[in-house]
C-alpha cells in the first residue's frame, strides 16, 4: 500500500513529475530501493503546496474538507500541510500505542502544552485555551511573573502529562525553583519535542518534576518520526514514516554513519511527501534494543536547538516569541512570509530577514507592533531576501543571538 501511494504520487502529482524531467522510473524493484527517486526540499513546495495534492483529492481541497495545518516555522520556513482527517489519525496511532504501552498515557488523560498561534476564538485574555482534555498556554509574553501564574494553573488543572519544548521546560524549572512552587501531584510523564534535548537539561527536568522525561522526534509535515523507549533509545516509527540517512550527494549512508535525515510519509495520501529533507542530521543503528519496538534506532546529531533572546535587564526570553509574530502576520496576510531568520544584534536591535510573496509598510508596522508587545523597545531592520540558505551544519536556525553577554 505504501509503495503504491509513492508510485501514484510520481504519476499524478505535478511537483514529482517535474522533478523527473521526463525520465521514466523502473518500478519492479521499487519496494527494495528508493535510491532512484529524487529528493524533496521544503523550498521545492513553499508557495506551491496545492500542486502536491493528487487530482482525486482536489475537490476535497476546494470544498474545504481537508485538514489545513501548517508547520510551526521553528526552522524559519512556513509550510501549509493538508491531510484527510482519517489519515492524520492513522499517523498518530503508533505514537499513542507506545505512550500507553510504556508510560500508561491515554488519549483522554489531561495534558498541558504551549502553542505559538496568536489570538483565536478559544484563547482567553490571559493567553490560554481549553481544548479537549487539555489546557494550553500561549508562548507569548513568557515573563517570570506569567510563568509563575502558568505553573500554579497547571497545579490547579491537575494534568497527567506535559508536552513541551526543552526551552519551555527549562523556564518552568527555573520559576519552580526560584519561587519554591509545589510539585504537580498528578503529573506522571513529560514528553519533549521540537528541539534537541541534552543530557544535563534532561536530568534537571527529571529532578525538578520527578517523572519520566521522554523524547519524541517529529515534524508537523509527518507527525511522529521516532519515539524514545524506556531503555533510552529513539526508535523510528516505521508504521508512519520511512527514514533514510543520506550524504551530501544524496547517497544512502550505512548504519552507524551520520548524514542528513530524509523521511517519507506512509499515511498522508493528500500531500505525499517523499524523500523529504528534515534539516536535521543523525544516524541509524540496528535495533538491538530489548524494549519490543521494531523500528531502527535513530541517533540525532543536530536538531532544532533553540537560542535565547537576551533582555537588557538580564532576563532571557524564548525565541518562540518570533514564531508567534510570524504566525500572526501570516494569518492576516494569507501566508505572505515563506522563510525568515531573526538576528539579535543588541538588546533592543533585531535584523529580520524575510523571503516573502509581498511586503509593504503596513506589514512592517504590524510586525513591529506585535514584537513590541513582547520587547517594548525593539527596533527592527527588515531585509528582503530571494532565499535563505542553510549554514555549514546543514541547518539554518530561525533565530540567532549575536550578543551573548550572559
Amino acid at each position: 500500500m505504501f509503495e503504491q501511494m509513492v508510485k501514484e504520487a510520481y504519476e499524478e502529482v505535478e511537483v514529482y513529475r517535474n522533478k523527473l524531467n521526463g525520465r521514466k522510473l523502473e518500478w519492479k524493484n521499487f519496494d527494495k530501493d528508493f535510491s532512484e527517486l529524487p529528493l524533496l526540499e521544503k523550498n521545492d513546495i513553499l508557495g506551491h503546496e496545492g500542486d502536491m495534492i493528487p487530482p482525486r483529492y482536489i475537490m476535497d481541497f476546494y470544498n474545504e474538507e481537508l485538514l489545513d495545518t501548517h508547520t510551526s516555522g521553528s526552522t524559519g520556513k512556513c509550510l501549509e500541510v493538508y491531510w484527510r482527517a482519517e489519515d492524520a489519525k492513522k499517523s498518530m496511532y503508533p505514537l499513542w500505542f507506545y505512550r500507553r504501552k510504556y508510560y500508561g498515557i491515554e488519549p483522554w488523560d489531561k495534558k498541558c502544552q504551549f502553542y505559538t498561534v496568536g489570538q483565536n476564538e478559544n484563547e482567553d485574555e490571559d493567553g490560554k485555551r481549553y481544548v479537549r482534555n487539555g489546557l494550553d498556554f500561549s508562548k507569548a509574553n513568557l515573563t517570570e511573573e506569567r510563568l509563575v501564574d502558568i505553573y500554579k494553573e497547571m497545579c490547579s488543572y491537575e494534568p497527567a502529562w506535559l508536552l513541551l519544548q526543552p526551552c519551555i521546560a527549562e523556564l518552568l524549572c527555573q520559576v519552580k525553583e526560584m519561587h519554591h512552587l509545589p510539585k504537580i501531584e498528578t503529573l506522571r510523564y513529560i514528553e519533549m519535542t521540537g528541539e534537541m534535548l541534552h543530557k544535563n537539561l534532561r536530568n534537571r527536568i527529571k529532578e525538578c518534576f520527578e517523572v519520566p522525561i521522554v523524547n519524541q522526534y517529529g515534524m508537523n509535515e509527518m507527525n511522529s518520526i521516532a519515539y524514545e523507549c524506556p531503555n533510552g533509545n529513539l526508535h523510528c516509527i516505521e508504521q508512519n514514516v520511512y527514514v533514510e540517512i543520506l550524504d551530501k550527494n544524496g547517497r544512502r549512508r550505512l548504519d552507524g554513519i551520520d548524514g542528513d535525515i530524509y523521511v517519507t510519509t506512509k499515511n498522508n495520501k493528500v500531500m505525499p511527501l517523499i524523500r523529504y529533507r528534515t534539516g536535521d542530521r543523525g544516524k541509524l543503528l540496528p535495533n538491538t534494543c530489548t524494549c519490543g519496538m521494531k523500528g531502527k534506532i535513530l541517533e540525532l546529531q543536530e536538531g532544532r536547538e533553540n537560542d535565547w533572546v537576551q533582555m537588557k535587564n538580564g532576563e532571557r526570553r524564548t525565541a518562540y516569541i518570533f514564531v508567534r509574530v510570524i504566525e500572526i502576520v501570516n494569518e492576516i496576510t494569507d501566508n505572505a512570509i515563506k522563510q525568515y531568520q531573526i538576528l539579535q544584534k543588541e538588546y533592543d536591535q533585531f535584523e529580520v530577514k524575510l523571503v516573502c510573496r509581498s511586503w509593504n509598510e503596513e506589514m512592517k508596522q504590524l510586525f513591529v507592533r506585535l514584537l513590541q508587545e513582547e520587547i517594548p523597545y525593539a527596533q527592527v531592520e527588515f531585509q528582503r531576501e530571494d532565499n535563505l540558505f542553510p549554514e555549514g551544519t546543514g541547518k539554518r536556525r530561525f533565530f540567532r543571538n549575536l550578543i551573548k553577554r550572559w
Side-chain angles (χ1 to χ4, degrees):
M1 183 64 181
F2 159 53
E3 289 81 5
Q4 184 65 25
M5 182 185 74
V6 175
K7 180 179 179 182
E8 290 175 354
Y10 271 88
E11 293 172 346
E12 300 175 359
V13 174
E14 182 177 350
V15 170
Y16 292 120
R17 290 202 305 265
N18 291 341
K19 275 191 162 291
L20 288 177
N21 197 25
R23 181 166 58 93
K24 298 293 183 181
L25 289 174
E26 177 58 61
W27 295 101
K28 63 181 180 180
N29 294 321
F30 173 71
D31 59 335
K32 300 178 181 178
D33 188 7
F34 266 45
S35 62
E36 292 189 23
L37 301 182
L39 305 178
L40 186 68
E41 300 275 347
K42 185 176 284 190
N43 282 347
D44 294 333
I45 51 180
L46 275 172
H48 306 283
E49 289 91 335
D51 294 337
M52 288 292 296
I53 300 175
R56 74 188 72 180
Y57 301 116
I58 291 297
M59 288 309 300
D60 294 337
F61 171 77
Y62 284 118
N63 291 333
E64 298 183 351
E65 296 175 357
L66 300 176
L67 296 179
D68 179 6
T69 63
H70 60 275
T71 59
S72 66
S74 61
T75 61
K77 301 180 182 181
C78 307
L79 182 72
E80 294 290 312
V81 183
Y82 300 98
W83 291 81
R84 292 193 310 165
E86 57 266 42
D87 293 340
K89 290 179 181 178
K90 185 177 179 181
S91 74
M92 292 296 293
Y93 288 158
L95 177 59
W96 278 112
F97 174 83
Y98 293 122
R99 283 171 175 163
R100 178 182 184 180
K101 177 179 179 180
Y102 294 125
Y103 306 104
I105 299 300
E106 305 277 9
W108 48 83
D109 284 332
K110 293 168 71 174
K111 174 190 69 174
C112 289
Q113 65 179 12
F114 288 72
Y115 62 94
T116 58
V117 179
Q119 289 285 341
N120 60 61
E121 63 274 12
N122 296 320
E123 181 180 292
D124 67 18
E125 61 183 12
D126 295 324
K128 64 178 184 290
R129 62 189 184 190
Y130 288 90
V131 296
R132 186 179 64 176
N133 302 325
L135 173 58
D136 299 347
F137 302 94
S138 171
K139 291 177 184 173
N141 193 33
L142 290 180
T143 63
E144 181 179 328
E145 181 181 5
R146 180 163 179 259
L147 283 163
V148 171
D149 291 339
I150 286 173
Y151 189 92
K152 291 178 179 178
E153 288 197 61
M154 286 182 176
C155 291
S156 299
Y157 183 68
E158 299 183 333
W161 66 294
L162 308 179
L163 180 62
L164 302 174
Q165 279 101 4
C167 68
I168 301 293
E170 184 175 14
L171 290 173
L172 292 173
C173 286
Q174 288 177 3
V175 298
K176 180 179 182 295
E177 294 164 356
M178 290 170 57
H179 295 268
H180 307 287
L181 299 174
K183 177 182 177 182
I184 303 176
E185 294 293 342
T186 56
L187 192 64
R188 309 197 312 266
Y189 167 88
I190 297 177
E191 185 170 306
M192 308 298 266
T193 189
E195 301 165 7
M196 285 289 286
L197 176 60
H198 296 294
K199 183 178 179 180
N200 289 342
L201 180 56
R202 176 201 287 267
N203 292 339
R204 181 184 180 188
I205 298 168
K206 185 174 182 179
E207 182 179 344
C208 180
F209 288 98
E210 302 178 44
V211 297
I213 309 300
V214 178
N215 203 11
Q216 188 253 131
Y217 173 60
M219 56 197 311
N220 288 350
E221 296 96 315
M222 304 279 173
N223 288 330
S224 191
I225 296 171
Y227 186 66
E228 185 178 11
C229 74
N231 293 338
N233 292 316
L234 197 62
H235 292 266
C236 295
I237 300 185
E238 295 179 348
Q239 304 96 316
N240 186 46
V241 291
Y242 177 71
V243 180
E244 298 176 271
I245 307 296
L246 307 179
D247 67 16
K248 63 181 180 180
N249 297 313
R251 294 174 299 205
R252 185 80 55 81
R253 290 288 204 182
L254 296 175
D255 286 355
I257 301 178
D258 73 296
D260 296 319
I261 301 174
Y262 285 76
V263 290
T264 298
T265 181
K266 290 187 176 182
N267 289 302
N268 193 348
K269 302 179 182 67
V270 166
M271 197 167 177
L273 298 173
I274 301 166
R275 306 196 85 193
Y276 180 73
R277 186 172 181 265
T278 68
D280 299 321
R281 290 180 61 84
K283 58 185 175 182
L284 290 174
L285 301 174
N287 186 356
T288 57
C289 187
T290 59
C291 72
M293 291 185 71
K294 295 182 179 180
K296 284 189 175 183
I297 295 170
L298 176 64
E299 283 193 1
L300 296 173
Q301 304 298 311
E302 294 172 10
R304 286 158 279 184
E305 188 169 356
N306 192 64
D307 211 341
W308 296 87
V309 182
Q310 177 69 7
M311 309 292 283
K312 188 172 291 188
N313 63 2
E315 181 184 358
R316 292 194 299 167
R317 303 286 292 279
T318 169
Y320 278 91
I321 60 178
F322 295 104
V323 178
R324 171 183 174 269
V325 171
I326 294 291
E327 289 196 346
I328 295 175
V329 172
N330 267 345
E331 285 183 351
I332 295 172
T333 63
D334 193 24
N335 295 301
I337 300 172
K338 293 302 177 184
Q339 289 181 266
Y340 62 93
Q341 185 180 51
I342 293 92
L343 307 179
Q344 183 177 17
K345 294 185 171 181
E346 287 295 340
Y347 294 116
D348 56 359
Q349 294 181 11
F350 300 88
E351 180 180 342
V352 177
K353 298 182 179 182
L354 298 171
V355 177
C356 46
R357 293 187 289 104
S358 62
W359 196 248
N360 55 45
E361 194 62 34
E362 289 184 1
M363 296 164 71
K364 290 181 181 179
Q365 292 174 3
L366 173 62
F367 188 105
V368 173
R369 178 173 61 80
L370 290 168
L371 182 57
Q372 288 180 344
E373 291 177 3
E374 305 284 349
I375 306 173
Y377 302 104
Q379 300 177 31
V380 180
E381 174 189 348
F382 292 99
Q383 183 172 326
R384 291 280 299 271
E385 303 279 353
D386 293 328
N387 208 338
L388 292 172
F389 296 97
E391 299 162 1
T393 61
K395 189 79 175 178
R396 179 179 47 76
R397 289 181 292 172
F398 78 95
F399 172 77
R400 293 182 62 194
N401 185 324
L402 303 182
I403 55 179
K404 301 288 188 183
R405 292 179 183 168
W406 64 84

